[in-house]
Amino acid sequence: MKKSFVKNLIKGVRIGFDKHSPEILIGLGIASAITSTVLAVKATPKALNLIEDAKFDKAKIWNKEHPDSDKCAVSEKLTKSEIVKTAWKCYIPAAISGVASVAFLLGSNSVHAKRNAAIATAYKLSETALTDYKKEVIETIGEEKAKLIQDKVAQKHVDEHPVSNNQVIIAGSGKQLCYDGISGRYFESDIQTIRAAVNTINETMVYEMYASLGDFYNEIGLPPTTLSDELGWNLDDGQLEISYGSAIAEDGRPCITLDYHVAPRYDFAKLG
C-alpha cells in the first residue's frame, strides 16, 4: 500500500513538473539571478579586504627589494591582472549561481520551442486531415449537397454569435453583411471587394512566398486583431481560397460567411 502511494506520488510530481516545467525553470532562473546578485554584493567587502592586504604585501616585497631606497612603501597599487588574481575566488559562488540562472532560462526557452514545434506539427496534421476530409465529402455527396452542409454550419456560427451582440464594421463601400469566422467579426462589404483582396494576397504570396492574416484584413478594410499578424499562409500550402456561405442574421439580414479552405497558421513564414 505504501509502495503504491509513494509510486503514485512520484508519478504525480513528475507529471506536474513536466506540465509546468517552463514556469518552474523561469522561476528558478529568476531566483538564481537574484541569488547571484546577493552573493556578489556579499563577496565585495571580502574581495576589497583581500585587495588591500595584497597591496600591503606588495609594498613589503618592494621594500625588501629596495633596502637602500629613501622611500618606504606602505601600500602599492595592483595591476588589473593582480586584482583579478587576488579577488576572483570570492565571486565563485555568484558566478556559479549566474551560470545556473542562464541555464535555467535557456532550458525554459528550449521547452517552449519544443512545445510550439509540437503544436505546429499537430495543427498541420489536423489541417491536412480536414482538407482531405472536405475533398472526400465533395467527391462523395457532390458540390451542391456539400454547399448545403456548409451553409448549415455557417448558419450555426451566425446563430451562436448574433449580430446584435457584435459591432458591425464598415469595411468598404459595399453594404452586404459579412461574417469572418476566424475573428468572429461582422462587417459590411461585398463579394467583389473580398475576391479582389484574395487576388492581391495571392499575388503577394507569389512574390514573397507568404502573407499574413493581417495583410488580408487590411485589404478588405478590417482592423487588425492581436493575433492577425502572427497568423498567415505559406505558398507551399497553396494559395488563399475562400468559399462564401450564406446565412440569415438575427436581425433578418442575409449574411455572407467566409470559409477559408486552408486555415492560417502560426509558422506561416517558415519555409522548408
Side-chain angles (χ1 to χ4, degrees):
M1 185 72 176
K2 288 183 178 179
K3 287 184 178 180
S4 177
F5 172 77
V6 172
K7 186 177 180 181
N8 290 334
L9 178 62
I10 294 174
K11 184 178 180 181
V13 171
R14 187 178 65 184
I15 292 173
F17 179 81
D18 290 341
K19 184 177 181 181
H20 299 287
S21 56
E23 294 86 351
I24 294 172
L25 289 172
I26 289 175
L28 291 173
I30 294 173
S32 296
I34 295 173
T35 301
S36 178
T37 302
V38 172
L39 291 174
V41 170
K42 287 184 176 181
T44 299
K46 183 178 179 181
L48 291 175
N49 289 333
L50 290 175
I51 291 172
E52 288 301 318
D53 291 342
K55 288 180 180 179
F56 291 135
D57 291 340
K58 188 175 182 179
K60 289 178 182 179
I61 295 172
W62 189 91
N63 290 332
K64 286 182 180 180
E65 294 176 348
H66 302 83
D68 299 329
S69 175
D70 295 334
K71 173 188 173 185
C72 182
V74 178
S75 176
E76 284 289 311
K77 289 184 177 181
L78 302 178
T79 63
K80 291 181 179 180
S81 61
E82 288 173 334
I83 292 174
V84 172
K85 186 177 180 181
T86 301
W88 73 272
K89 290 183 179 179
C90 298
Y91 294 97
I92 290 178
I96 293 174
S97 184
V99 171
S101 174
V102 173
F104 286 135
L105 294 175
L106 289 176
S108 173
N109 184 66
S110 176
V111 172
H112 273 301
K114 289 179 180 178
R115 287 188 178 180
N116 289 338
I119 291 171
T121 300
Y123 177 81
K124 179 61 179 175
L125 291 173
S126 298
E127 182 184 57
T128 302
L130 180 59
T131 301
D132 292 342
Y133 176 78
K134 286 182 176 180
K135 289 180 180 178
E136 287 297 326
V137 168
I138 293 174
E139 290 178 4
T140 303
I141 66 175
E143 290 188 14
E144 187 174 341
K145 289 184 178 180
K147 181 68 168 57
L148 289 174
I149 294 173
Q150 180 185 327
D151 288 344
K152 285 184 178 180
V153 173
Q155 185 64 59
K156 182 180 179 182
H157 289 168
V158 170
D159 291 341
E160 290 175 348
H161 303 86
V163 66
S164 59
N165 296 340
N166 293 271
Q167 177 187 6
V168 178
I169 301 170
I170 308 301
S173 58
K175 296 298 181 181
Q176 176 66 55
L177 184 65
C178 303
Y179 178 75
D180 174 51
I182 293 179
S183 62
R185 294 182 294 180
Y186 286 94
F187 62 100
E188 288 187 354
S189 185
D190 54 74
I191 290 182
Q192 288 74 21
T193 299
I194 299 172
R195 284 175 174 165
V198 170
N199 290 336
T200 300
I201 293 301
N202 285 333
E203 288 178 5
T204 300
M205 285 205 291
V206 168
Y207 291 103
E208 299 183 12
M209 304 302 293
Y210 62 86
S212 72
L213 179 61
D215 294 332
F216 176 65
Y217 283 160
N218 182 62
E219 289 295 328
I220 61 177
L222 279 177
T225 66
T226 54
L227 289 177
S228 59
D229 288 334
E230 304 297 326
L231 298 170
W233 299 274
N234 192 311
L235 187 60
D236 288 352
D237 298 326
Q239 293 187 318
L240 174 60
E241 188 176 355
I242 293 178
S243 293
Y244 306 96
S246 59
I248 302 297
E250 186 188 36
D251 59 2
R253 282 188 287 173
C255 179
I256 298 173
T257 59
L258 277 59
D259 179 36
Y260 299 81
H261 286 211
V262 177
R265 63 182 189 178
Y266 275 105
D267 57 344
F268 68 97
K270 297 178 182 178
L271 304 177

